[in-house]
Amino acid sequence: MTADALLRVEGVSAGYGDMTVLHGVTFAAQAGTVTAVAGANGAGKTTLLKTILGLLPAGAGAVWFSGAPVTRCSVSDRIAQGMGLVPEGRGLFSTMSVGDNLRLGGRAAGVGGAALGAAIGEALELFPALSAKLKVPAGRLSGGQQQMLSLARTLVASPRLLLLDEPSMGLAPKVWSELLVLIRALAGEGRAVILAEQKIRPVLEISDHCVVLQRGRVVFTGAARDEAAERSISGAYLETEMVTGGDHG
Ligand SMILES: Nc1ncnc2c1ncn2[C@@H]1O[C@H](COP(=O)(O)OP(=O)(O)OP(=O)(O)O)[C@@H](O)[C@H]1O
Ligand SMILES: [Mg+2]
């Protein structure tokens, strides 16, 4: 395992009550890279991102961030250290304004006062469409704009590790392609991005590494644009496809 990784997940098991969902998950992510987390519906992608952030405790194994173990740190501690999550379903406060949602993102990470204004200004530079809508309730934005807001809210805290859970959900293909380009650029600025998606093909094109989960176990880690990744993704999705006729991009 690489010594200089920003994030290291080592033998992590986690779940809900008596049900273990993740079994000994191990992978690492470097600053400046995008890691795609692939897996069919229910494979454990969301559970993995929640365990990295500390929303779920790791029953076994360890999470290392920036060279130190954070397995016993609280969520707010991990956010203060530089982790940020854009949750599945966006997690916006739909009756609150765009501006208030952004302010909450900063405050959750302990950013206040003048620094908060500056951080919001910086995040808005990436999403000019939101600047004109600061007073609009978040629930009135289009799906694409809501996804931008969810991402902008997380960026207000200047995370070094960006965890993205199904950001494509509800987006038109063109908006999703544009967002993927932006995500790549966010990694290019020195962040580590972990991007969990069911429809993984377009994600692989902007990713460096790929982690494939099948029923909570890692069945592949390696280069994203590699035949071996292709093969394990096809295998990992096959049983779900046979049941649902699903399409994974
Ligand atoms: N809050 C919960 N309580 C109990 N079981 C849960 C809970 N959340 C998820 N699970 C179960 O854990 C397993 C993994 O779920 P998870 O949400 O991590 O999968 P996923 O890969 O993110 O799927 P999707 O692609 O649908 O988002 C599934 O069997 C799911 O039913
Ligand atoms: Mg999920």
Side-chain angles (χ1 to χ4, degrees):
M1 187 163 290
T2 325
D4 62 351
L6 182 63
L7 174 75
R8 286 200 286 142
V9 175
E10 275 184 3
V12 162
S13 298
Y16 308 89
D18 289 340
M19 186 176 72
T20 304
V21 170
L22 297 179
H23 303 269
V25 170
T26 295
F27 73 96
Q30 272 73 34
T33 67
V34 178
T35 302
V37 176
N41 174 27
K45 303 180 295 297
T46 297
T47 304
L48 175 59
L49 297 189
K50 284 185 171 172
T51 308
I52 291 171
L53 189 67
L55 290 166
L56 281 173
V63 177
W64 290 67
F65 186 54
S66 218
V70 294
T71 323
R72 299 193 195 294
C73 295
S74 66
V75 175
S76 51
D77 231 23
R78 295 186 209 198
I79 292 173
Q81 287 185 46
M83 289 190 183
L85 169 70
V86 178
E88 193 169 26
R90 301 174 189 135
L92 296 172
F93 295 93
S94 57
T95 58
M96 281 173 51
S97 70
V98 168
D100 283 343
N101 270 281
L102 291 171
R103 278 183 279 278
L104 272 184
R107 292 209 185 98
V111 185
L116 180 58
I120 289 175
E122 232 174 86
L124 286 173
E125 276 175 25
L126 295 171
F127 308 105
L130 294 179
S131 306
K133 306 204 169 201
L134 287 175
K135 296 204 157 71
V136 174
R140 287 225 219 113
L141 300 178
S142 69
Q145 287 171 344
Q146 287 188 23
Q147 193 60 61
M148 309 286 165
L149 176 56
S150 184
L151 180 52
R153 181 182 59 179
T154 302
L155 290 175
V156 167
S158 306
R160 292 180 288 154
L161 173 68
L162 194 52
L163 307 164
L164 303 173
D165 197 355
E166 304 272 349
S168 78
M169 204 183 282
L171 301 189
K174 183 169 174 287
V175 178
W176 177 220
S177 308
E178 288 166 3
L179 188 58
L180 282 171
V181 173
L182 176 70
I183 288 168
R184 180 72 240 176
L186 290 172
E189 290 170 1
R191 298 177 186 87
V193 177
I194 314 282
L195 205 178
E197 275 285 344
Q198 260 190 69
K199 298 194 173 192
I200 202 71
R201 305 269 185 242
V203 176
L204 292 178
E205 287 172 26
I206 62 119
S207 297
D208 303 282
H209 304 289
C210 177
V211 175
V212 182
L213 288 178
Q214 186 171 16
R215 297 185 184 200
R217 293 174 202 275
V218 174
V219 293
F220 175 83
T221 50
R225 280 153 294 181
D226 188 295
E227 260 180 50
E230 253 328 290
R231 274 197 303 277
S232 43
I233 287 167
S234 300
Y237 284 74
L238 195 60
E239 59 186 281
T240 316
E241 274 194 355
M242 290 194 297
V243 176
T244 64
D247 139 46
H248 50 85

